[in-house]
Amino acid sequence: MADLRTNFVGIHSPNPFWLASAPPTDKAYNVIRAFEAGWGGVVWKTLGLDPPVVNVSSRYGAVQWNGQRMAGLNNIELISDRPLKTNLDEIRQVKREWPDRAMVVSLMVPCDEASWKYILPMVEDTGADGVELNFGCPHGMSERGMGAAVGQVPEYIEMVAAWVKQHSKLPCIVKLTPNITDIRWPARAAHKGGTDAVSLINTINSITTIDLDLMAPTPTVDGKGTHGGYCGPAVRPIALNMVAEIARDPQTAGLPISAIGGIGTWRDAAEFIALGAGTVQVCTAAMHYGFRIVEDMISGLSNWMDAKGYQTIEDFRGRATKNVTDWKFLNLKYDIKARINQDLCIQCGLCHIACEDTSHQAITRERDGKRMFEVVDAECVGCNLCMHVCPVDDCITMERVDDGSFQNWTTHPNNPMAEKA
């Protein structure tokens, strides 16, 4: 059987599946239930200084897409609204009872050294395994000079990370905001400040829907709405890209990454690990389906690793990173053509419509007076749109037809800046 144990910056867990800092990790009751279900670790919901924040009702808005509930989830909830001492006492209790599980505590306090110096020893005293600095929350707290307001300023990230490393012996994970032009800059700043790792992505600033009766954003609070943090399956492609950008950046090469963003299956987790993540954090999927989804994640990842011959997470971690490159390095000589399996084709015509109306008019719809969809190789550019719109698995595939030669944009004659041999 595959060994799913992880050692992430000295934080050990029986598997890489952690619950992210969010409502599911707000109290001992939830966290114990999560550990009983098999989760390898948790990041306790973000703690701040007393007096606690005040949250609102309601707190969630959702995007329903093509029959899928919560394809995207928006929240306007703030950090923990329970007293700091209550949270610290429960963290201590849970860590004592579950010593083999990762216990990381998320923190958000004002951007001054005294506040960090004050809270860090109290967290350390609980026996927690590490701290995660919440520099990503895009709503509410950012308006108070915390969360994304810090995460969008690399100089602040570096400064606070340095304070934390100075005033605590615990491993430090900086949680990055995606609400920035280039994710590499905050990652570099965190690295320069001495962080042990980064986690990403936090939620994306968003308004999910407008209630056309109330004429207000959802969730709606007494007739008004606000921007919130977007998460769930819809954000996973954005998270994958940002994780890859940090993993392949020479200035942050080797910086441990805990991946977050739309993870709901073992395959999602494997993709992030293949890009270099050491652990994965889950929130929306657990809120949608409950804690027991981790059972399928664990068995699925283990079975896939067994089938591939991977004995540990490290055997495939980061293997995909080397294949992520800039567009200019892609092979311009690589050529593929669509192929339609007539035995599987259900004659729906979606491939023809998509190609005819929006692409290259490379699929005919009739032969000898009969409805039949065929590819015209001379017009097909291998964009593979037809393959994606086809509702039948493997009915449309792509076949390589080039001679195996190679040329990219850096040497192409049409590039005025091309490198000369």
Side-chain angles (χ1 to χ4, degrees):
M1 293 290 292
D3 183 355
L4 300 187
R5 289 177 297 177
T6 62
N7 178 357
F8 185 76
V9 297
I11 302 172
H12 295 267
S13 57
N15 61 65
F17 300 106
W18 295 3
L19 283 172
S21 169
T25 63
D26 189 35
K27 59 176 71 74
Y29 177 83
N30 301 63
V31 172
I32 290 171
R33 285 177 58 84
F35 285 163
E36 289 172 343
W39 291 88
V42 300
V43 182
W44 199 277
K45 186 173 181 184
T46 306
L47 308 184
L49 300 177
D50 288 334
V53 303
V54 178
N55 274 296
V56 296
S57 174
S58 61
R59 302 177 188 179
Y60 302 120
V63 171
Q64 326 297 352
W65 177 252
N66 200 27
Q68 179 179 347
R69 307 291 293 181
M70 284 172 52
L73 181 69
N74 169 290
N75 87 90
I76 58 171
E77 184 164 312
L78 304 182
I79 64 176
S80 178
D81 54 10
R82 304 192 308 148
L84 178 60
K85 184 179 185 303
T86 300
N87 278 299
L88 293 173
D89 288 345
E90 291 187 7
I91 291 167
R92 183 181 293 105
Q93 168 207 338
V94 175
K95 184 58 186 176
R96 187 185 304 119
E97 295 174 0
W98 296 85
D100 68 322
R101 308 302 171 93
M103 173 65 75
V104 177
V105 178
S106 177
L107 297 176
M108 183 191 295
V109 299
C111 197
D112 61 76
E113 186 173 4
S115 295
W116 290 97
K117 187 176 180 179
Y118 172 76
I119 199 170
L120 285 165
M122 292 189 288
V123 175
E124 200 165 328
D125 185 62
T126 65
D129 298 303
V131 292
E132 183 180 80
L133 316 186
N134 185 342
F135 294 158
C137 189
H139 55 274
M141 305 308 294
S142 60
E143 297 157 21
R144 309 176 195 192
M146 293 179 277
V150 177
Q152 291 170 334
V153 184
E155 293 81 3
Y156 292 172
I157 296 173
E158 179 183 346
M159 178 177 67
V160 178
W163 290 341
V164 172
K165 291 304 296 178
Q166 178 183 351
H167 297 300
S168 176
K169 297 177 182 178
L170 291 175
C172 170
I173 305 168
V174 169
K175 189 172 186 179
L176 302 177
T177 176
N179 302 299
I180 195 164
T181 305
D182 190 335
I183 195 66
R184 294 174 299 177
W185 291 103
R188 290 169 183 172
H191 189 40
K192 191 175 180 181
T195 190
D196 298 287
V198 293
S199 59
L200 69 152
I201 60 174
N202 209 313
T203 53
I204 300 171
N205 216 357
S206 65
I207 291 177
T208 48
T209 57
I210 299 294
D211 186 316
L212 293 178
D213 293 317
L214 297 176
M215 285 298 174
T218 60
T220 306
V221 181
D222 194 22
K224 303 289 185 181
T226 186
H227 62 94
Y230 193 52
C231 56
V235 311
R236 187 168 64 89
I238 298 168
L240 283 167
N241 174 64
M242 291 189 170
V243 166
E245 287 300 285
I246 294 173
R248 71 189 187 98
D249 181 9
Q251 296 190 41
T252 53
L255 181 64
I257 299 171
S258 183
I260 315 167
I263 299 166
T265 68
W266 70 264
R267 181 177 291 274
D268 298 337
E271 291 180 6
F272 278 104
I273 295 170
L275 285 175
T279 62
V280 294
Q281 297 184 33
V282 178
C283 175
T284 306
M287 294 177 73
H288 193 169
Y289 300 109
F291 288 148
R292 291 190 62 181
I293 62 165
V294 76
E295 297 173 3
D296 289 338
M297 292 181 176
I298 291 170
S299 61
L301 183 60
S302 180
N303 291 338
W304 174 78
M305 288 172 61
D306 286 341
K308 291 290 187 179
Y310 299 133
Q311 296 182 352
T312 71
I313 295 293
E314 292 302 311
D315 289 344
F316 74 96
R317 189 174 68 83
R319 283 203 171 193
T321 307
K322 66 180 184 300
N323 292 322
V324 181
T325 190
D326 296 334
W327 190 96
K328 64 184 178 181
F329 297 122
L330 298 176
N331 184 7
L332 298 174
K333 296 289 188 180
Y334 181 75
D335 191 14
I336 55 176
K337 305 294 183 187
R339 297 289 179 257
I340 301 174
N341 185 329
Q342 299 300 333
D343 292 333
L344 295 177
C345 180
I346 60 173
Q347 312 269 319
C348 67
L350 279 174
C351 61
H352 168 75
I353 292 168
C355 189
E356 190 74 14
D357 286 355
T358 67
S359 292
H360 298 278
Q361 299 76 53
I363 298 179
T364 61
R365 65 178 178 181
E366 188 175 292
R367 184 172 39 144
D368 299 331
K370 294 181 180 179
R371 186 177 176 88
M372 175 180 253
F373 300 98
E374 294 183 311
V375 176
V376 181
D377 279 7
E379 302 298 331
C380 179
V381 300
C383 71
N384 74 5
L385 175 62
C386 57
M387 183 184 75
H388 290 300
V389 302
C390 180
V392 180
D393 289 342
D394 300 321
C395 178
I396 299 181
T397 55
M398 307 304 294
E399 177 185 350
R400 185 170 185 175
V401 297
D402 63 80
D403 61 7
S405 57
F406 180 89
Q407 184 178 49
N408 62 39
W409 184 243
T410 66
T411 58
H412 196 277
N414 290 357
N415 179 6
M417 304 297 293
E419 302 167 6
K420 306 302 179 184

